[in-house]
């Protein structure tokens, strides 16, 4: 079993001095027994890359385009992210799926581009509150995983992040049993779709209102291979405390 991955999704927050200071504080923490990944806004990627130099903290972006270059105003390619020092990219975050109308097919194309370009794709999936309440959570998440997963998905180029939409930024989280049930289900889907053992080998992160207080019990849940953290990743002390909570 690999170390837990604690990923910080900074979303559209912070200027470069903020990014540099936060990244330096994470890089200075030494080995806490987990792996850290920081995903700042595009404009801070190179600043954070410089701050992380010589450390084992990885750098990722929050999105990419599926094409390698061309007439795509406002978009960023995988190669551009690599050039900025990224090893990872988040794709299919619910804020992209809802705010930018990204379908599973688009997410899959982006994950495929990431994989082809040598980046690890952090593929986000998760149900809405209505879907959870109607008992469809497992079905929705399964369908998103199956349709968003690129063909050549394997341990090194793929991470799945289970993020119930209603838990993001809300302070609400599913019960620990519910988290385990979804993670077990995703692992089964990966075993079936990718190959036997993939469900254990490919990391499955939990995301949605993870903080320094609840991280320990969430990270101890069966099948949880780390966390994708939004709000609590914007302060070094809370993000490091989450790292320290890894079993
Ligand atoms: P949150 O965000 O930790 O602020 O809930 C998580 C995410 O959107 O990745």
């Amino acid at each position: 079993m690999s170390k837990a991955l604690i990923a910080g999704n900074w979303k559209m927050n912070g200027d470069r001095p903020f990014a540099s200071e936060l990244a330096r504080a994470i890089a200075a923490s030494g080995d806490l027994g987990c792996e850290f990944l920081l995903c700042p806004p595009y404009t801070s990627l190179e600043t954070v890359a410089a701050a992380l130099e010589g450390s084992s903290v990885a750098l990722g972006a929050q999105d990419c385009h599926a094409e390698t270059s061309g007439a795509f105003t406002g978009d960023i390619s995988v190669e551009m992210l690599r050039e900025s020092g990224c090893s990872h990219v988040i794709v299919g975050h619910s804020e992209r799926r809802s705010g930018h109308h990204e379908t599973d097919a688009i997410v899959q194309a982006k994950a495929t581009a990431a994989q082809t370009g040598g980046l690890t794709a952090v593929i986000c999936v998760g149900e809405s509150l209505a879907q959870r309440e109607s008992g469809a959570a497992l079905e929705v998440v399964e369908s998103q995983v199956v349709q968003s997963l690129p063909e050549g998905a394997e341990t090194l180029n793929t991470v799945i992040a289970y993020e119930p939409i209603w838990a993001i930024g809300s302070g609400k989280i599913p019960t620990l049993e519910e988290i385990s049930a979804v993670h077990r289900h995703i692992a089964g889907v990966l075993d079936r779709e990718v190959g036997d053992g993939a469900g254990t080998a490919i990391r499955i992160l939990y995301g949605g209102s993870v903080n320094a207080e609840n991280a320990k019990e969430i990270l101890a849940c069966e099948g949880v291979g780390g966390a994708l953290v939004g709000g609590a990743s914007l302060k070094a002390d809370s993000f490091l405390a989450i790292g320290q909570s890894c079993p």
Side-chain angles (χ1 to χ4, degrees):
M1 196 70 187
S2 52
K3 286 182 185 176
L5 176 66
I6 306 299
N9 174 11
W10 295 3
K11 309 192 180 185
M12 196 171 71
N13 291 297
D15 56 12
R16 288 185 204 171
F18 168 89
S20 179
E21 195 182 324
L22 180 52
R24 278 178 208 287
I26 308 299
S29 68
D31 186 2
L32 300 182
C34 66
E35 286 175 29
F36 282 125
L37 165 66
L38 303 184
C39 302
Y42 291 135
T43 49
S44 292
L45 283 174
E46 292 197 31
T47 303
V48 173
L52 297 180
E53 218 174 289
S55 82
S56 59
V57 180
L59 179 66
Q62 299 170 17
D63 186 39
C64 65
H65 196 276
E67 298 296 331
T68 50
S69 65
F72 302 105
T73 304
D75 283 310
I76 305 277
S77 74
V78 167
E79 189 47 42
M80 291 166 182
L81 298 181
R82 273 175 59 92
E83 198 182 30
S84 305
C86 291
S87 55
H88 291 65
V89 60
I90 298 171
V91 292
H93 189 281
S94 70
E95 286 150 19
R96 303 282 324 169
R97 288 181 186 262
S98 64
H100 296 263
H101 314 291
E102 292 191 5
T103 59
D104 286 329
I106 292 174
V107 176
Q108 187 189 43
K110 290 181 176 196
T112 304
Q115 179 182 295
T116 309
L119 296 189
T120 298
V122 181
I123 303 171
C124 301
V125 296
E127 82 284 359
S128 67
L129 186 58
Q131 290 165 332
R132 162 66 58 185
E133 285 174 348
S134 70
L138 295 182
E139 192 188 314
V140 167
V141 166
E142 170 166 351
S143 156
Q144 287 178 332
V145 171
V146 171
Q147 319 263 358
S148 307
L149 207 59
E151 234 174 66
E154 40 121 310
T155 321
L156 287 180
N157 62 22
T158 309
V159 172
I160 305 288
Y162 166 56
E163 298 202 305
I165 300 169
W166 52 275
I168 295 175
S170 65
K172 294 188 192 121
I173 59 166
T175 65
L176 301 178
E177 291 70 32
E178 285 168 339
I179 293 176
S180 285
V182 177
H183 280 247
R184 258 199 314 272
H185 195 75
I186 295 174
V189 172
L190 293 174
D191 280 339
R192 188 186 74 212
E193 297 290 319
V194 181
D196 233 7
T200 349
I202 293 180
R203 280 185 179 125
I204 308 169
L205 314 183
Y206 169 80
S209 294
V210 176
N211 58 39
E213 287 71 46
N214 62 22
K216 203 176 170 82
E217 54 181 15
I218 292 174
L219 291 166
C221 283
E222 186 197 339
V224 174
L228 181 54
V229 186
S233 72
L234 293 171
K235 287 207 175 104
D237 55 356
S238 52
F239 192 62
L240 291 173
I242 294 169
Q244 265 159 345
S245 309
C246 292

